Amino acid sequence: MIDQEMKKAVLENFEKAYGKKENVKAYFAPGRVNLIGEHTDYNGGHVFPCALTIGTYAAAAKRDDRMIQLFSLNQDKVGVVSFCLDDTIAPSESAGWTNYPMGVVWAFEKRGMKLDTGFDMVIYGNIPNGSGLSSSASLEVLTGFVLRDLYGFEVTNQELALIGQYSENNFNGCNCGIMDQFAVAMGKENSAIFLDTADLSFEYAPIKLEGAKIIVTNTNKKHKLTDSQYNARRSMCEEALSILQKKLDIKGLGDLSIEEFEANKALLTDPDMQKKAKHAVYENQRTIEAVKALKDGDLEHFGKLMRQSHESLRDDYDVTGIELDTLAEEAWKVPGVIGSRMTGGGFGGCTVSIVKDEAIENFKKTVGENYKNKIGYEATFYTVEIGGGPEVI
């Protein structure tokens, strides 16, 4: 469901920034929300995200020289940021948001896909910034999609996801798993993606929410995933895995059943490490169970598992915080809320809730008022729809 106003804005502002050019094209890549399966993607577990109809728009065209020029309507005060392909491409504090598209150019070149000329691009996103709905992954996949289209590179959407993840890990310094970029690149309308991150096998699961909607609630507390807290949890899980591998033949924590973990958890003598590993194992099994519940049409059970997921992220993985906990805990009290949990990396960002149609207004009013009373500022509510992957528009 393309927003024609957003499309018009990128095309008009392209002309304002760079002058009238032939061969200017418009593009879109979605944001994503993860229904269940959090912090499992870098532990070789399962995730269950879907692409959204909100995302990032771009207008782009090739240049005749070696310059790359980037402009964001979301950061219009920054103005046009320019790079030369003949200079060393490296991340910098001063490059700000442009580190994400430049990281993708860098990752393409690392794979031998060198740009023969530069390009001009204008971007405009309607994903709330810092919300945990993957504005960075959306921008990375969008950039890769634009490069493929402009330069004729032979690269699949799945490879675009891997390139985006590689650039975020190695250029932008955030050790994220594959989920965000995969959900953005491989999105399918009205379906979530049941992805096994250990081998990238996946299936589309139709989301049939008769008489209910997905509502994303933004804490409006900004989060930044390159923060050391995220990377610290990942390295703790990696350490737990290496300890368990001395006894068990496993490639990731996602290989363990709950029974196997419980039988061997004493090997993890650090109580905090044991809790982090427990979350990775239990959340993976919860995700498998949740997708089965959805296929069986048992939305109520799916909702219960969403709650258990949040409680584990709060108590074992310790990535929620008072803002996310308040949103989830207030949502659980509202009649007609099937399930609610934090989504994304945590430390701020959003919750995702499945709410019956007749309960939506009461949900927004009650949760909104209680959140503001406790936290001191307002949350924002978005009724979202499940969309497809990147496209030329």
Side-chain angles (χ1 to χ4, degrees), residues 56-363:
T56 316
Y57 291 76
K62 282 177 82 169
R63 295 173 59 89
D64 296 328
D65 59 17
R66 302 280 291 164
M67 294 304 292
I68 293 174
Q69 297 200 114
L70 303 168
F71 176 69
S72 167
L73 282 160
N74 302 91
Q75 311 256 353
D76 53 351
K77 289 188 177 67
V78 175
V80 174
V81 181
S82 302
F83 301 87
C84 179
L85 280 167
D86 296 325
D87 296 336
T88 303
I89 299 174
S92 72
E93 195 80 22
S94 61
W97 74 272
T98 63
N99 279 315
Y100 290 102
M102 290 311 294
V104 173
V105 171
W106 172 86
F108 263 74
E109 297 213 326
K110 283 266 179 210
R111 286 185 169 220
M113 292 179 278
K114 296 197 182 298
L115 280 58
D116 53 358
T117 69
F119 63 93
D120 294 326
M121 183 163 76
V122 168
I123 70 132
Y124 191 17
N126 57 3
I127 304 169
N129 210 5
S131 62
L133 299 181
S134 287
S135 53
S136 59
S138 179
L139 179 54
E140 287 156 358
V141 171
L142 178 70
T143 304
F145 189 81
V146 167
L147 295 180
R148 179 174 82 185
D149 188 61
L150 291 183
Y151 299 92
F153 293 129
E154 287 191 17
V155 54
T156 65
N157 277 23
Q158 191 163 316
E159 286 166 333
L160 290 180
L162 290 164
I163 289 169
Q165 183 204 11
Y166 181 84
S167 72
E168 185 143 349
N169 289 173
N170 299 289
F171 195 84
N172 285 296
C174 177
N175 260 336
C176 65
I178 188 61
M179 173 181 64
D180 296 353
Q181 292 83 1
F182 198 95
V184 170
M186 304 295 287
K188 183 180 178 184
E189 226 167 288
N190 300 318
S191 294
I193 305 169
F194 184 41
L195 170 67
D196 183 345
T197 62
D199 60 8
L200 297 189
S201 59
F202 69 98
E203 61 176 294
Y204 291 109
I207 302 289
K208 297 191 186 86
L209 302 177
E210 264 82 46
K213 299 276 188 301
I214 297 172
I215 298 184
V216 169
T217 310
N218 191 350
T219 60
N220 289 318
K221 178 193 179 185
K222 294 284 189 283
H223 78 161
K224 187 166 178 252
L225 273 196
T226 43
D227 283 350
S228 57
Q229 292 177 331
Y230 182 93
N231 290 345
R233 276 156 186 73
R234 178 164 185 165
S235 54
M236 190 173 270
C237 285
E238 285 166 355
E239 202 179 328
L241 174 65
S242 67
I243 290 167
L244 291 166
Q245 280 173 329
K246 288 172 184 161
K247 182 180 171 188
L248 302 165
D249 182 21
I250 53 170
K251 288 196 170 72
L253 294 175
D255 291 346
L256 290 170
S257 66
I258 286 168
E259 295 71 26
E260 284 170 324
F261 174 75
E262 289 297 334
N264 292 282
K265 68 182 183 184
L267 294 168
L268 307 174
T269 52
D270 176 346
D272 193 34
M273 183 187 291
Q274 192 180 112
K275 279 165 75 177
K276 301 293 181 281
K278 178 189 173 187
H279 168 76
V281 172
Y282 275 65
E283 180 77 350
N284 183 44
Q285 295 303 322
R286 247 192 305 276
T287 306
I288 296 165
E289 194 181 329
V291 175
K292 184 182 181 304
L294 200 65
K295 286 178 177 172
D296 295 343
D298 190 350
L299 257 190
E300 294 298 324
H301 188 53
F302 189 91
K304 280 186 187 138
L305 291 164
M306 287 175 78
R307 177 172 177 158
Q308 287 172 21
S309 168
H310 185 94
E311 289 169 341
S312 176
L313 288 155
R314 179 190 67 197
D315 301 336
D316 289 332
Y317 219 64
D318 189 26
V319 291
T320 56
I322 188 170
E323 297 85 3
L324 287 166
D325 287 339
T326 301
L327 285 182
E329 288 158 18
E330 291 301 328
W332 298 336
K333 297 174 193 170
V334 177
V337 173
I338 295 164
S340 186
R341 59 180 286 277
M342 66 152 270
T343 185
F347 314 112
C350 293
T351 58
V352 58
S353 308
I354 300 175
V355 185
K356 289 179 179 170
D357 290 344
E358 65 273 15
I360 289 174
E361 285 316 307
N362 182 39
F363 165 76

Side-chain angles (χ1 to χ4, degrees), residues 361-378:
E361 285 316 307
N362 182 39
F363 165 76
K364 288 181 181 176
K365 183 175 182 293
T366 308
V367 174
E369 283 174 3
N370 293 343
Y371 181 80
K372 189 175 182 190
N373 289 340
K374 188 164 182 181
I375 304 300
Y377 50 85
E378 290 183 349

